Amino acid sequence: VLIIGLSAGILLFNENTGENTSGAESSEIPSDNGKYAEWLEFSPETVNEYIGEDRPIFIAFGAKWCMTCRTNENTVIFTDEITAFFEENNVVLIHGDYTNKNPEIDLWMNNFGRAGVPFYLWYPADSTEAVLLPEIITKKNITDLINISANN
């Protein structure tokens, strides 16, 4: 059992399932609230389907228990500015949920030298090479990505 302290409360989680086993209200753990409902679910096959096409790809790997992920979502990814940026640039949006661990995501993190979430990748349009973003992202980190082309 892993103990995570959040503000004034302590929650207990089963490390194998990620379930809250403390009896505390689940509202203490932020949920996706359907934010990723319009995004494609991560799988290597899904990524490979879009790599090299004329659309850029943004992949966000996160977990419900990850406070940095939640901060990035609330202050960057799901803001009106970035949502509009994604729409205007016809970006393929893919989400990898690491809440209960995922061996495929583990492999991708290892391949990019990362040990955990948050983990963000950008594939420029017409490119097979990914750009690794920092764990703490800004709106500028995202909007500057469109200037990266397959030739850079």
Side-chain angles (χ1 to χ4, degrees):
V1 175
L2 174 65
I3 300 175
I4 299 176
L6 294 175
S7 300
I10 301 249
L11 298 178
L12 302 176
F13 288 88
N14 180 313
E15 66 181 3
N16 295 323
T17 65
E19 292 177 358
N20 176 350
T21 59
S22 67
E25 292 297 318
S26 62
S27 64
E28 293 182 50
I29 298 291
S31 69
D32 287 338
N33 295 329
K35 291 179 180 179
Y36 288 107
E38 301 296 317
W39 292 44
L40 299 173
E41 184 177 333
F42 170 79
S43 73
E45 296 78 18
T46 299
V47 176
N48 289 332
E49 180 180 335
Y50 290 96
I51 284 180
E53 291 192 2
D54 64 347
R55 296 174 63 186
I57 304 167
F58 180 76
I59 308 172
F61 297 96
K64 292 178 181 176
W65 44 258
C66 172
M67 293 301 106
T68 304
C69 302
R70 292 293 174 240
T71 299
N72 288 338
E73 291 166 2
N74 292 330
T75 62
V76 178
I77 296 173
F78 293 113
T79 61
D80 291 341
E81 178 183 348
I82 298 305
T83 299
F85 169 82
F86 287 148
E87 289 174 7
E88 290 165 8
N89 291 286
N90 199 23
V91 177
V92 176
L93 301 171
I94 300 174
H95 177 247
D97 187 355
Y98 196 66
T99 300
N100 296 316
K101 293 214 174 194
N102 177 316
E104 288 182 327
I105 294 174
D106 279 327
L107 181 62
W108 277 63
M109 286 191 295
N110 289 335
N111 288 340
F112 284 91
R114 289 287 172 86
V117 293
F119 169 48
Y120 304 103
L121 294 173
W122 173 267
Y123 284 88
D126 301 314
S127 178
T128 59
E129 297 295 319
V131 175
L132 178 64
L133 279 72
E135 292 174 358
I136 298 174
I137 56 175
T138 65
K139 291 177 184 178
K140 186 168 178 12
N141 290 140
I142 303 293
T143 57
D144 283 352
L145 291 170
I146 202 64
N147 298 319
I148 299 172
S149 70
N151 298 326
N152 287 348

